[in-house]
């Protein structure tokens, strides 16, 4: 129980730092519900974390009916990560990196945060929750599935951020997917040993 809470807090801090310090200053996108929350932030100036909560409601309804364990395990992950993302929005503009290192570092931090939470069977909700539900039905690596969903989301934000930032956002989701997969694979390998 304490490990799950600790993983949720650390994962949420990594997400908040990655998003606010490296993605938002360059108007980069992540995928999934976070990415949709960023699109809403860039277009309507809505708080990213609050948008994540509202957008996740339909997925939590699905989880309630099909996998209650994920509903309960990820609800606190969604609430804590959304709160921390909005809380750390005050950090925006305090780091001055160019767009390429920001897309890589932001992707690594977000991916590690998501992977850490998934290792302890919690998540930020959103499409991570959708991916968890889908991997119960399909033999697909969860990191690869999140990568595909993320690609669809950043494609939908192309008109808002433009082609250059779209391409850098694609780099971001490559690192998010890779770090998520590596974090989960390390846990799976530890279980086999």
């Amino acid at each position: 129980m304490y490990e799950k809470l600790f993983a949720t807090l650390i994962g949420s801090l990594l997400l908040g730092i990655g998003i606010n310090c490296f993605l938002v200053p360059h108007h980069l996108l992540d995928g999934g519900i976070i990415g949709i929350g960023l699109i809403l932030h860039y277009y309507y100036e809505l708080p990213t974390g609050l948008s994540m909560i509202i957008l996740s409601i339909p997925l939590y309804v699905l989880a309630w009916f099909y996998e209650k364990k994920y509903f309960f395990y990820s609800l606190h992950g969604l609430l804590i990560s959304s709160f921390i993302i909005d809380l750390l929005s005050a950090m925006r503009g305090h780091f001055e990196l160019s767009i390429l290192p920001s897309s890589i570092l932001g992707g690594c931090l977000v991916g590690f945060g998501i992977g850490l939470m998934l290792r302890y069977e919690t998540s930020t909700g959103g499409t991570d929750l959708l991916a968890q539900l889908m991997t119960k039905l399909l033999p697909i690596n969860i990191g690869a599935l999140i990568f595909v969903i993320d690609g669809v989301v950043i494609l939908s934000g192309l008109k808002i951020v433009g082609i250059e930032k779209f391409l850098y956002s694609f780099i971001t989701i490559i690192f998010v997917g890779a770090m998520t997969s590596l974090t989960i694979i390390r846990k799976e390998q530890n279980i086999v040993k």
Side-chain angles (χ1 to χ4, degrees):
M1 176 68 179
Y2 292 113
E3 286 181 338
K4 189 184 297 280
L5 181 59
F6 185 71
T8 301
L9 289 172
I10 297 299
S12 297
L13 282 170
L14 292 169
L15 282 167
I17 293 167
I19 289 167
N20 289 301
C21 296
F22 302 105
L23 302 187
V24 172
H26 294 287
H27 281 80
L28 296 173
L29 295 171
D30 184 20
I33 293 294
I34 295 171
I36 297 169
L38 287 169
I39 291 169
L40 292 173
H41 172 72
Y42 298 148
Y43 198 72
Y44 297 109
E45 297 186 16
L46 297 173
T48 307
L50 179 62
S51 297
M52 288 169 53
I53 292 171
I54 293 166
L55 293 166
S56 292
I57 292 172
L59 296 171
Y60 277 91
V61 170
L62 275 176
W64 178 260
F65 288 109
Y66 293 105
E67 194 68 48
K68 282 191 172 73
K69 175 178 85 170
Y70 289 150
F71 175 90
F72 292 112
Y73 284 175
S74 66
L75 183 61
H76 66 280
L78 169 69
L79 297 174
I80 292 170
S81 63
S82 297
F83 174 75
I84 289 178
I85 288 169
D86 285 348
L87 181 70
L88 295 182
S89 66
M91 294 179 73
R92 292 177 188 160
H94 289 145
F95 294 95
E96 303 251 349
L97 284 179
S98 63
I99 193 167
L100 179 60
S102 289
S103 65
I104 293 169
L105 190 53
C108 287
L109 289 170
V110 170
F112 187 61
I114 289 170
L116 182 63
M117 291 171 75
L118 290 172
R119 276 179 81 158
Y120 290 91
E121 296 183 331
T122 186
S123 74
T124 58
T127 53
D128 298 342
L129 177 60
L130 179 62
Q132 283 179 305
L133 293 169
M134 288 177 70
T135 56
K136 290 293 183 184
L137 304 171
L138 304 168
I140 299 175
N141 177 282
I142 194 166
L145 185 56
I146 289 171
F147 176 75
V148 171
I149 294 168
D150 288 353
V152 171
V153 170
I154 68 162
L155 190 58
S156 70
L158 177 60
K159 284 190 175 185
I160 293 171
V161 298
I163 189 69
E164 180 188 9
K165 292 179 182 180
F166 166 80
L167 294 173
Y168 284 109
S169 296
F170 192 75
I171 292 169
T172 297
I173 69 160
I174 288 171
F175 280 91
V176 169
M179 286 302 294
T180 301
S181 292
L182 286 172
T183 306
I184 293 168
I185 288 169
R186 290 195 64 185
K187 181 185 182 197
E188 291 169 355
Q189 288 174 343
N190 289 339
I191 290 171
V192 172
K193 290 178 185 176

